[in-house]
Amino acid sequence: MEDSLVHVYLMPGMAANPSIFKSIKLPGNKFKIHWLEWFVPDKGMSLKAYAIKMCAMIKHPKSVLLGVSFGGMLVQEMAQYMDFRKVIVVSSVKSKAELPKRMLFAKYTKVHKLLPTGLVSNVELLAKYAFGETATKRLALYEEYLSVRDKRYIDWAIDQIINFNPKKKVKGLVHIQGEKDSVFPIKNIEKCIPVKNGTHTMIIHRAKWFNEQLPTIILE
């Protein structure tokens, strides 16, 4: 039975733990879900090296890989070093051209180096970085989800996002983007499946949409 299942690996967004996927449910007779987690990178670690190390966590051949936000960037890099049945990115970007202007500005001015990432224990600030919104209304929720607060990891993640520029496109990549994503606006995105009223955190708040649509997206 196990051999006939499609194994689906889920990679959360920046600073988030895999509990963001707790409402994602796929039919158990066809799919088996596995959660991936961030680890603190070695000093000076490249996204390539990080991706190769993360690939070692994938235990099933021809599995499906889904990444959210910065996790979506990482899974595209992972796909360069391992063969997947399908790669899906959610609330993310596929190229430097899809990054918002403020991030491109940060890249060339290095202003992101001045961000007070030492304050990441402040959940409101971390939610602003990771989710693009203030956490005052959902502080308890973000306390639960945003648990990766190591300063070296946050500095590294922000730098990788700002400098994201994949050398090769992932063949057959599926991109799902919310129409109201404030971090990566859909107006900058090429070729995606739009989600009406979907925000940057739609993997949490629109889980029903994903539960209904993902089986078809994965198997088609």
Side-chain angles (χ1 to χ4, degrees):
M1 179 64 182
E2 178 84 6
D3 290 341
S4 65
L5 295 176
V6 177
H7 293 272
V8 183
Y9 285 81
L10 305 179
M11 186 74 222
M14 187 187 97
N17 62 60
S19 67
I20 68 166
F21 300 117
K22 67 183 180 181
S23 295
I24 301 299
K25 311 289 184 188
L26 301 177
N29 62 331
K30 292 183 180 178
F31 305 95
K32 186 170 179 60
I33 289 176
H34 307 270
W35 289 356
L36 295 171
E37 296 188 55
W38 295 106
F39 59 86
V40 177
D42 299 331
K43 192 172 182 180
M45 197 173 201
S46 65
L47 189 64
K48 173 183 176 179
Y50 196 98
I52 290 171
K53 196 168 180 179
M54 188 63 79
C55 281
M57 313 293 181
I58 309 294
K59 304 302 182 185
H60 303 88
K62 287 289 185 178
S63 52
V64 173
L65 190 57
L66 181 150
V68 175
S69 192
F70 178 43
M73 299 180 187
L74 175 64
V75 300
Q76 291 174 69
E77 188 68 21
M78 290 170 67
Q80 305 300 327
Y81 311 105
M82 194 170 185
D83 191 20
F84 292 95
R85 174 179 178 142
K86 186 159 286 187
V87 179
I88 303 168
V89 300
V90 176
S91 306
S92 191
V93 297
K94 303 182 293 296
S95 68
K96 180 176 73 171
E98 293 184 346
L99 287 169
K101 287 181 180 178
R102 68 179 183 279
M103 291 188 183
L104 295 174
F105 173 80
K107 175 181 179 178
Y108 293 112
T109 62
K110 307 297 183 186
V111 70
H112 64 292
K113 300 287 189 183
L114 305 176
L115 291 170
T117 51
L119 302 177
V120 292
S121 57
N122 179 327
V123 177
E124 279 194 56
L125 185 66
L126 190 54
K128 190 69 176 173
Y129 285 173
F131 289 161
E133 55 188 75
T134 54
T136 47
K137 290 181 181 177
R138 294 191 280 254
L139 194 57
L141 196 68
Y142 294 141
E143 281 279 8
E144 174 189 354
Y145 293 136
L146 295 173
S147 62
V148 189
R149 303 181 191 175
D150 181 274
K151 183 183 184 322
R152 185 161 77 194
Y153 164 79
I154 297 295
D155 286 342
W156 173 84
I158 292 172
D159 197 55
Q160 296 302 326
I161 292 168
I162 297 297
N163 291 287
F164 184 63
N165 188 21
K167 301 295 183 286
K168 285 173 63 179
K169 290 184 178 180
V170 178
K171 188 177 179 181
L173 180 78
V174 176
H175 189 163
I176 305 171
Q177 197 75 4
E179 290 182 348
K180 294 186 176 179
D181 193 311
S182 61
V183 177
F184 301 121
I186 196 168
K187 67 180 182 181
N188 298 330
I189 307 298
E190 292 184 5
K191 295 181 182 176
C192 69
I193 299 171
V195 179
K196 190 175 181 180
N197 295 321
T199 66
H200 196 65
T201 54
M202 64 183 179
I203 197 72
I204 301 168
H205 305 303
R206 297 292 305 277
K208 184 173 182 286
W209 186 94
F210 285 93
N211 292 341
E212 291 172 351
Q213 303 297 326
L214 278 178
T216 302
I217 290 170
I218 289 169
L219 295 176
E220 67 183 8

